[in-house]
Amino acid sequence: MLMICIEPESEVPIYTQLTNQIIQGIVRREILPGDSLPSVRSFAADLGVNMHTVNKSYHELEKKGVIRIVPKSGAVIATHDKFDEAIYQRIMEDIKPQIAEALVFGIDEEKIQMMVKTIIEDFKNK
């Protein structure tokens, strides 16, 4: 069961919080490839957010290749069976600003690698 926790006071937009938590739910195997997400209308009602917020999140997930939006079936978690170079490159570009910020604040390479390892371990253990 996927638990979504929206923090309205966060600087992170609600649609981004939702997108990130759905991706994390997939990593934690709380939702699996082939599973359907709730309809935009029902998910918005459950979360107490605007339908457009959920719709924007679903379109972000679709653009990233995380879900497929199937007419009359809704949003379905996509299956990824093999390595995809384009996705790898996109994620590399997405990570660069965070790595640069860490380096600016004096976090060395070893600590950055430890940070990544800790995050991966957290996903495995939840």
Side-chain angles (χ1 to χ4, degrees):
M1 181 73 177
L2 179 64
M3 294 296 296
I4 302 292
C5 180
I6 299 298
E7 297 178 22
E9 292 80 33
S10 172
E11 292 180 14
V12 177
I14 293 173
Y15 81 92
T16 302
Q17 292 180 47
L18 181 56
T19 299
N20 292 343
Q21 289 183 51
I22 290 170
I23 290 170
Q24 291 172 22
I26 295 166
V27 170
R28 291 186 181 114
R29 303 194 53 76
E30 295 166 357
I31 46 178
L32 303 171
D35 285 355
S36 293
L37 293 173
S39 72
V40 168
R41 185 179 306 276
S42 69
F43 212 5
D46 290 347
L47 296 172
V49 300
N50 189 293
M51 281 181 20
H52 299 293
T53 302
V54 175
N55 194 44
K56 188 169 184 177
S57 173
Y58 280 15
H59 279 76
E60 279 292 309
L61 290 164
E62 183 180 40
K63 188 168 77 174
K64 290 175 182 272
V66 174
I67 66 171
R68 292 178 291 110
I69 297 178
V70 181
K72 297 192 167 84
S73 295
V76 178
I77 306 301
T79 302
H80 297 282
D81 296 330
K82 59 183 173 144
F83 178 80
D84 184 315
E85 181 66 31
I87 291 173
Y88 175 83
Q89 290 301 323
R90 179 184 56 77
I91 292 171
M92 279 282 282
E93 289 304 312
D94 290 349
I95 291 173
K96 278 183 183 179
Q98 282 76 32
I99 300 295
E101 184 177 351
L103 293 168
V104 163
F105 286 105
I107 301 173
D108 63 29
E109 182 179 340
E110 186 178 314
K111 280 194 171 70
I112 293 170
Q113 289 174 351
M114 182 58 72
M115 205 182 307
V116 171
K117 185 176 174 97
T118 299
I119 291 167
I120 293 169
E121 288 301 316
D122 283 350
F123 284 129
K124 287 181 181 177
N125 295 323
K126 289 188 177 179

